[in-house]
Amino acid sequence: MLPSTLAAADFTAFQRTIPSLDIVIFSDRSRLIDGRAGGGYIGFQAHHQFLRSSLLYGHGKEVFDTEAEAALAGAQAAITYPTAQFATNLWICLDNLEVATRLLSPSTGSSQEVFESFRTLAAAWPLRERLPHTKSGSIQIRWVPGHAKIPENEAADLAAKEGAASTPPAPQKSSYASLKRHAKTQSLSAAQSQWQKVAPQSYQDLEITTSPKRPRELQLNRLDLGRIIVARTGHGDFADYHEHFNHDDAYLLCRCRA
């Protein structure tokens, strides 16, 4: 059995163990070719879908940010829904492992405000209004294998795609991760532009650039790479090199006597 198939089977088996009155939220994110990002979530209780929403985040969010915001939005909708009084636990299921591991933990970097809001919400869940016989419970996070044809996760993915494709009502705020990526892209472009102005002619003739940082030549074996470096730098067994450094013992002629 393939790992993805096995993971999907494990999750499906886990789903059967969730009490029917617990609320289960599936959240997901989407990003279009033009950079627009969206999120979505669906909610189930007693095997009935009672929540669904598509969210638009515009161009200023990375996939990581939208995944976290979709999970938060789903949890916020669930805790305020009237039937939350019947549920013991609130399950948040998402296929982004990094976000899943950080939702209930102190976080640095992008979307700190979102993660802080989620932890505040998790602390409020046991204090919600509930029936006398309903336990306080907690918010639980569960990773879902993505692209494993789990129906609920596929439905959340569809909601996210609809959110990304919708028309933005107003300019959206940019996240830290999005601004960081933009700044990195701009700096690389500026460095490349400056290099084209100041690069020695010999480097320009060999089309040596500043990007990528790890050119394909580095994948060659050491012998071939060494020959390329010698040819490009001119520091090798060349007559000009030996004459420049006054190597009196150097043999300057080729075996063909040229």
Side-chain angles (χ1 to χ4, degrees), residues 91 115 117:
W91 299 87
F115 288 110
S117 297

Side-chain angles (χ1 to χ4, degrees), residues 183-202:
K184 182 178 180 180
T185 301
Q186 292 295 100
S187 65
L188 290 175
S189 177
Q192 179 67 13
S193 177
Q194 181 64 16
W195 174 257
Q196 292 173 351
K197 297 177 182 178
V198 303
Q201 187 60 47
S202 58

Side-chain angles (χ1 to χ4, degrees), residues 4 22 56 62 91 174-175 196 198 226 231:
S4 59
D22 279 2
L56 173 64
E62 297 296 298
W91 299 87
S174 296
S175 68
Q196 292 173 351
V198 303

Side-chain angles (χ1 to χ4, degrees), residues 25-30 38-44 49 51-55 67 70 93-95 144 150-163:
I25 298 292
F26 287 81
S27 64
D28 210 339
R29 80 287 178 267
S30 179
Y41 63 82
I42 58 173
F44 290 87
Q49 180 180 315
L51 286 175
R52 187 183 191 277
S53 182
S54 297
L55 311 163
E67 188 84 60
C93 303
L94 63 161
D95 60 14
V144 184
I150 295 174
E152 297 85 352
N153 193 51
E154 295 292 322
D157 179 63
L158 178 60
K161 285 183 170 62
E162 292 174 1

Side-chain angles (χ1 to χ4, degrees), residues 8 36 47 50 59 85 114 148 155 158 171 178 187 202-203 222 231 240:
R36 284 182 294 167
H47 310 293
F50 69 102
H59 292 84
Q85 61 182 320
V114 175
L158 178 60
S178 177
S187 65
S202 58
Y203 278 53
R222 292 176 63 88
D240 290 344

Side-chain angles (χ1 to χ4, degrees), residues 103-181:
L103 278 174
L104 294 175
S105 304
S107 177
T108 59
S110 191
S111 294
Q112 292 184 48
E113 183 180 358
V114 175
F115 288 110
E116 180 62 31
S117 297
F118 192 93
R119 292 196 301 275
T120 301
L121 187 70
W125 174 261
L127 306 177
R128 73 197 181 285
E129 183 179 347
R130 63 184 191 279
L131 298 181
H133 65 277
T134 304
K135 296 180 180 179
S136 58
S138 61
I139 291 183
Q140 302 285 331
I141 311 298
R142 184 78 182 194
W143 174 74
V144 184
H147 309 292
K149 297 183 179 180
I150 295 174
E152 297 85 352
N153 193 51
E154 295 292 322
D157 179 63
L158 178 60
K161 285 183 170 62
E162 292 174 1
S166 58
T167 304
Q172 305 292 311
K173 290 183 178 180
S174 296
S175 68
Y176 170 78
S178 177
L179 292 174
K180 183 178 180 181
R181 179 178 61 83

